[in-house]
């Protein structure tokens, strides 16, 4: 909900029109003895090294903490930044007596009646006053990917082009199968809980930037939004950076997973911009089909079926991943990402999503404590 990356300088290279990419990640703080969400953000922030503090901050609940990478052009630099932040924050959490988990929501509780307090922030209190208790639980942790755009007008067209592709990215990031000590039957239970917030959902079809702004104003006037920052569409224009912000996924389990998703999203944005320049229209998918495709993604992850919004029907999710890869291959190559993405997609196919990996640990051990320990190790990197 907050924006760690807001003060970072936006790096652009107009000479070769490469697109910058930056990432925000939200994490859960837990008690290592029980695995339950811990109201620990202030204690952990005190332990964060001074050189990292500008990229770390609190989130909505006192059991959450967030990092933000500087935007840049190179995946290697992004991975290095996230590695320093994750390892530094994991160590800070351990010094404070807690564990840091990259997981969509709490596997071991607490239940909704015993959820952590919201962070002492006037805006967060206004949100609770407006919406009521729609956000009980240990915390919902997502990943937001920012990709640079030349103008808001182009950005709105990009959002239209992204709509049919976001469900497969939703599936790829699924990383929250457990909640309150049980398997929910979903790959991304965070997605189900997050959709209780009124502003959450697929981005509507947009006629222009003026149309986008008019919708925001109308939603604020209706009372559904407090401000533009509460526009929780799955993709939107950033309110503070010249970027499109894709915010569909659970926080990824590992740095490799995050880098893969960031590269795929940048490739999609680049492909959309090429289509816009060539005058190729976006596919105008009906809203109910988008809702269905995102539900399927949250339920199955990549281990089941995915809705085909281009040709209709449902197919194995990896068939849609293959189509996505073929679509953006030239743009991955142009950004120098093709080899990295090919390798990381192979690993994802072999090992499964974060949800599948968590379930594998639980199936092998039968212990939620082993899942928690596994999450902590994978989070650190």
């Amino acid at each position: 909900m907050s924006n760690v990356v807001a003060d970072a300088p936006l790096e652009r290279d107009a000479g070769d029109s490469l697109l910058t990419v930056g990432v925000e990640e939200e994490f859960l703080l837990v008690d290592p003895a029980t695995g339950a969400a811990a109201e620990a953000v202030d204690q952990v922030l005190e332990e964060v090294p001074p050189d990292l503090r500008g990229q770390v901050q609190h989130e909505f609940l006192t059991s959450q903490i967030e990092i933000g990478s500087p935007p840049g052009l190179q995946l290697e630099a992004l991975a290095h930044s996230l590695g320093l932040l994750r390892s530094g924050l994991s160590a800070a959490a351990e010094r404070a007596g807690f564990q840091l988990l990259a997981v969509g929501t709490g596997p071991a509780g607490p239940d909704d009646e015993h959820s952590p307090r919201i962070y002492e922030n006037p805006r967060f209190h206004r949100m609770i006053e407006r919406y009521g208790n729609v956000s009980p639980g240990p915390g919902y942790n997502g990943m937001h990917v920012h990709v640079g755009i030349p103008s808001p007008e182009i950005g709105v067209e990009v959002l239209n082009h992204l709509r049919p592709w976001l469900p497969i990215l939703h599936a790829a990031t699924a990383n929250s199968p457990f909640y309150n000590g049980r398997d929910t039957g979903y790959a991304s239970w965070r997605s189900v809980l997050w959709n209780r917030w009124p502003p959450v959902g697929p981005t509507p079809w947009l006629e222009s930037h003026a149309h986008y702004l008019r919708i925001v104003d109308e939603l604020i006037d209706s009372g559904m939004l407090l401000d533009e920052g509460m526009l929780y569409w799955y993709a939107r224009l950033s309110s503070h950076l010249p970027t499109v912000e894709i915010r569909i996924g659970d926080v990824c389990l590992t740095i490799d997973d995050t880098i893969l998703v960031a590269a795929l999203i940048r490739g999609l944005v680049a492909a959309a911009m090429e289509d816009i320049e060539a005058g190729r229209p976006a596919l105008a998918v009906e809203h109910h089909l988008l809702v269905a495709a995102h539900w399927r993604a949250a339920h199955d992850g990549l281990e089941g079926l995915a809705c085909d919004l281009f040709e209709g029907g449902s197919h194995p999710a990896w068939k849609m991943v293959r189509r996505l890869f073929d679509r953006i291959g030239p743009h991955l190559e142009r950004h120098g990402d093709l080899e990295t993405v090919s390798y990381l997609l192979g690993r994802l196919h072999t090992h499964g999503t974060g949800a599948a990996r968590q379930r594998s640990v639980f199936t092998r051990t039968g212990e939620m404590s082993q899942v928690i320990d596994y999450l902590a190790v994978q989070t650190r990197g």
Side-chain angles (χ1 to χ4, degrees), residues 190-318:
R190 179 205 66 94
S191 300
V192 177
L193 299 177
W194 180 230
N195 271 276
R196 294 189 294 196
W197 285 89
V200 175
T203 309
W205 182 265
L206 300 162
E207 301 296 337
S208 64
H209 184 225
H211 182 215
Y212 180 99
L213 295 176
R214 186 167 71 251
I215 291 175
V216 173
D217 287 342
E218 289 170 349
L219 292 176
I220 291 173
D221 289 343
S222 77
M224 196 178 87
L225 301 186
L226 288 177
D227 49 45
E228 186 178 352
M230 282 205 68
L231 190 70
Y232 297 148
W233 292 341
Y234 296 153
R236 68 182 187 183
L237 300 181
S238 171
S239 61
H240 61 285
L241 290 171
T243 65
V244 289
E245 180 184 0
I246 290 77
R247 41 190 304 117
I248 182 55
D250 290 355
V251 63
C252 287
L253 178 56
T254 68
I255 294 170
D256 278 355
D257 295 338
T258 300
I259 294 300
L260 172 60
V261 172
L264 293 174
I265 288 173
R266 176 163 66 176
L268 272 175
V269 173
M273 290 176 63
E274 180 182 66
D275 282 347
I276 292 163
E277 185 175 355
R280 292 188 286 268
L283 181 67
V285 183
E286 294 188 55
H287 180 77
H288 71 279
L289 290 176
L290 282 174
V291 171
H294 281 289
W295 175 85
R296 185 98 226 187
H299 186 272
D300 289 21
L302 291 179
E303 284 67 48
L305 299 177
C307 296
D308 186 341
L309 297 174
F310 296 89
E311 298 177 1
S314 297
H315 304 289
W318 274 97

Side-chain angles (χ1 to χ4, degrees), residues 1 25-29 37 59-61 63-66 101-106 110-112 115-116 133-144 175-176 178-179 188-197 200 232 247 249-251:
M1 294 181 183
E25 295 186 302
E26 300 161 353
F27 302 98
L28 185 69
L29 298 167
E59 240 295 326
F60 187 68
L61 294 178
S63 54
Q64 296 175 281
I65 197 164
E66 182 181 12
L101 305 185
V103 65
T105 192
D111 59 35
D112 289 356
S115 60
N133 195 24
V134 297
S135 187
Y140 314 146
N141 305 302
M143 175 181 69
H144 308 155
N175 186 35
S176 52
F178 299 111
Y179 187 75
S188 174
W189 188 242
R190 179 205 66 94
S191 300
V192 177
L193 299 177
W194 180 230
N195 271 276
R196 294 189 294 196
W197 285 89
V200 175
Y232 297 148
R247 41 190 304 117
D250 290 355
V251 63

Side-chain angles (χ1 to χ4, degrees), residues 88-121:
L89 196 54
S90 291
E94 290 167 12
R95 286 193 295 271
F98 303 97
Q99 285 180 306
L100 184 79
L101 305 185
V103 65
T105 192
D111 59 35
D112 289 356
E113 293 183 2
H114 302 93
S115 60
R117 293 168 296 132
I118 65 169
Y119 194 82
E120 286 299 323
N121 178 299

Side-chain angles (χ1 to χ4, degrees), residues 318-337:
W318 274 97
K319 179 178 180 179
M320 300 304 298
V321 174
R322 180 79 245 179
R323 180 182 293 178
L324 168 62
F325 181 80
D326 291 345
R327 171 76 183 91
I328 66 175
H331 303 283
L332 295 175
E333 187 169 18
R334 182 165 66 88
H335 283 86
D337 299 345

Side-chain angles (χ1 to χ4, degrees), residues 350-374:
T350 298
H351 299 293
T353 59
R357 280 171 262 170
Q358 289 184 59
R359 283 176 168 144
S360 178
V361 172
F362 188 77
T363 298
R364 187 173 69 251
T365 66
E367 298 289 341
M368 191 58 67
S369 62
Q370 294 295 312
V371 176
I372 300 294
D373 290 343
Y374 172 77

